[in-house]
Amino acid sequence: MTNDLIQLVEFALAGGPKGIRAAGRLMSLMEDSPWRLPELFRAWAQVREQDQSLSEQLPMPRLLLGITGAPGSGKSTLSDALVTAYREKNPDQKIGVIAVDPSSPFTGGAVLGDRVRMMRHATDKGVFIRSLSARGHLGGLTLGVKGVARVMGLIGCDVVIIETVGVGQSEVEVTQVADLVAVVLAPGQGDSIQMLKAGLMEIADLFVINKADREGSGTLYSQLLSSLQLSMDKKADPDVLLVSAVEKTGIDELIALLDKRTEDESANWPALREKRMYADVSESVLDQARMRLAKLLATSPEETKKIIEGSVTVQDVAQKLLEKASRDKVSAN
Ligand code: GDP
């Protein structure tokens, strides 16, 4: 591990303009090389050796809130309203937002909406916004989101909002990073209830019906309630709230609900977070191994040919690759 990382952690902890730059670099590192996330834990342990007043574990945000729902339902307007309300309520607490777009190859706030949003909070030093896109593969993206969230925890963010652009399978996967998932619905978004049946119902800890100022929101509210009552496989009574992100009604109630749920449920989160982290780290180790083996296989096409001809088995070649990979590592040292 590089000393750079330790120094970045030290700077990020110290705060100030230098700290903000260091945090930004750490976030980019987690985004570009998600499998390096475990190095953050090691760096933390080393920094802590010099300063025993630091917590034993890398600090986590109090709440990782996932916000998902169809495009246009008002997710980014809602997370914006939440950021503003959280900051007003608690000016000493920092807030992070991670906007995730699994379908886009672009990154770094390339989306116009993100730029607009970043400008809105640009003067607020307590708000950290980061956009992540697929670029690599999805596993890497999910781990990248976790890495960025951990850096946000490191610099003391109280709440981190993880907002996805859509409702596909990839978004569902990304929301599994969150402690609580809010599914946003809005009137005039096609058949929202139908969409719920396509998989969103299972991941929702709470539902937010947005655009309460619009006609049809009341109908949607009652449709959702009755559909939840009918559904047998739902989680225990998810909460349903009616808000208007634009007119900022229901936002304080939403925050109060999130605070209560966090208080009631957060005792279970460290174990859950740990379990997920374990799975992710294993995944990234396997990814690394697979990448190296794939490279080796690509440089010896004759092995594949032999399998096709029937002169060797798949197991033979796999064994050979593993042996070659471990020899290569020895010679690389
Ligand atoms: P996202 O795609 O889910 O992130 O949705 P956006 O936040 O970009 O919002 C989509 C559109 O809905 C924008 O034109 C918003 O101004 C509008 N919108 C968001 N929240 C509300 C609301 O509470 N009421 C009304 N009337 N419009 C809203």
Side-chain angles (χ1 to χ4, degrees):
M1 181 177 55
T2 54
N3 288 328
D4 293 9
L5 204 69
I6 298 174
Q7 199 170 47
L8 284 177
V9 168
E10 278 169 349
F11 283 155
L13 263 181
K18 209 170 170 181
I20 290 180
R21 273 199 307 278
R25 285 191 53 197
L26 283 171
M27 289 183 211
S28 301
L29 191 74
M30 290 303 120
E31 188 185 348
D32 295 338
S33 320
W35 58 87
R36 294 189 63 186
L37 172 56
E39 291 175 37
L40 205 57
F41 306 144
R42 289 178 62 190
W44 179 261
Q46 305 224 351
V47 172
R48 190 175 175 271
E49 260 176 38
Q50 311 301 319
D51 182 357
Q52 295 289 320
S53 70
L54 294 174
S55 62
E56 198 170 322
Q57 302 269 326
L58 182 67
M60 276 288 262
R62 180 173 57 92
L63 170 65
L64 294 175
L65 173 67
I67 296 188
T68 191
S73 55
K75 296 177 298 295
S76 64
T77 313
L78 178 68
S79 66
D80 229 31
L82 277 174
V83 167
T84 307
Y86 269 123
R87 292 286 296 150
E88 275 170 12
K89 263 174 71 122
N90 239 328
D92 298 338
Q93 300 282 15
K94 297 179 189 129
I95 303 290
V97 179
I98 307 176
V100 194
D101 185 353
S103 59
S104 162
F106 303 111
T107 189
V111 188
L112 180 65
D114 283 335
R115 283 209 212 114
V116 171
R117 174 162 48 177
M118 282 177 195
M119 275 164 58
R120 199 170 309 152
H121 297 288
T123 52
D124 188 344
K125 298 275 179 281
V127 179
F128 297 83
I129 298 173
R130 199 81 187 181
S131 293
L132 264 71
S133 59
R135 264 200 298 175
H137 62 104
L138 189 63
L141 179 63
T142 309
L143 197 62
V145 171
K146 291 187 190 192
V148 171
R150 295 306 292 245
V151 177
M152 287 178 170
L154 166 76
I155 57 177
C157 286
D158 177 50
V159 175
V160 170
I161 297 173
I162 300 163
E163 176 200 317
T164 64
V165 297
V167 286
Q169 184 51 42
S170 12
E171 281 84 354
V172 168
E173 196 165 312
V174 168
T175 59
Q176 280 162 8
V177 174
D179 303 311
L180 291 176
V181 176
V183 171
V184 182
L185 303 174
Q189 288 298 129
D191 193 345
S192 302
I193 302 294
Q194 207 51 44
M195 194 181 75
L196 279 185
K197 293 192 179 127
L200 277 186
M201 191 84 100
E202 291 78 14
I203 62 165
D205 293 296
L206 58 137
F207 290 95
V208 176
I209 295 185
N210 187 32
K211 308 195 188 182
D213 54 293
R214 285 261 186 92
E215 204 178 316
S217 53
T219 316
L220 182 58
Y221 184 83
S222 19
Q223 276 175 348
L224 176 62
L225 280 189
S226 52
S227 153
L228 284 174
Q229 277 153 12
L230 281 176
S231 148
M232 302 299 285
D233 57 349
K234 67 186 168 84
K235 284 188 183 178
D237 291 328
D239 294 291
V240 182
L241 270 151
L242 198 55
V243 313
S244 167
V246 161
E247 295 189 346
K248 300 201 189 304
T249 55
I251 303 296
D252 287 342
E253 289 80 356
L254 176 56
I255 289 186
L257 174 69
L258 292 170
D259 284 346
K260 186 179 179 310
R261 296 276 304 252
T262 304
E263 215 179 293
D264 292 348
E265 297 168 33
S266 60
N268 303 322
W269 295 348
L272 276 176
R273 287 166 166 181
E274 203 67 28
K275 209 167 121 188
R276 289 174 188 161
M277 183 57 66
Y278 188 88
D280 290 331
V281 171
S282 310
E283 190 68 30
S284 61
V285 171
L286 290 175
D287 262 13
Q288 282 289 297
R290 192 177 190 285
M291 259 158 60
R292 283 180 52 195
L293 291 169
K295 245 187 230 159
L296 280 178
L297 188 60
T299 57
S300 42
E302 67 282 358
E303 301 290 355
T304 313
K305 195 159 172 266
K306 279 191 230 160
I307 300 175
I308 297 168
E309 288 164 358
S311 58
V312 293
T313 65
V314 169
Q315 285 93 325
D316 292 337
V317 175
Q319 182 63 30
K320 217 163 152 181
L321 278 181
L322 287 168
E323 281 162 14
K324 189 160 179 358
S326 61
R327 271 201 310 277
D328 284 1
K329 180 65 187 168
V330 172
S331 57
N333 284 340

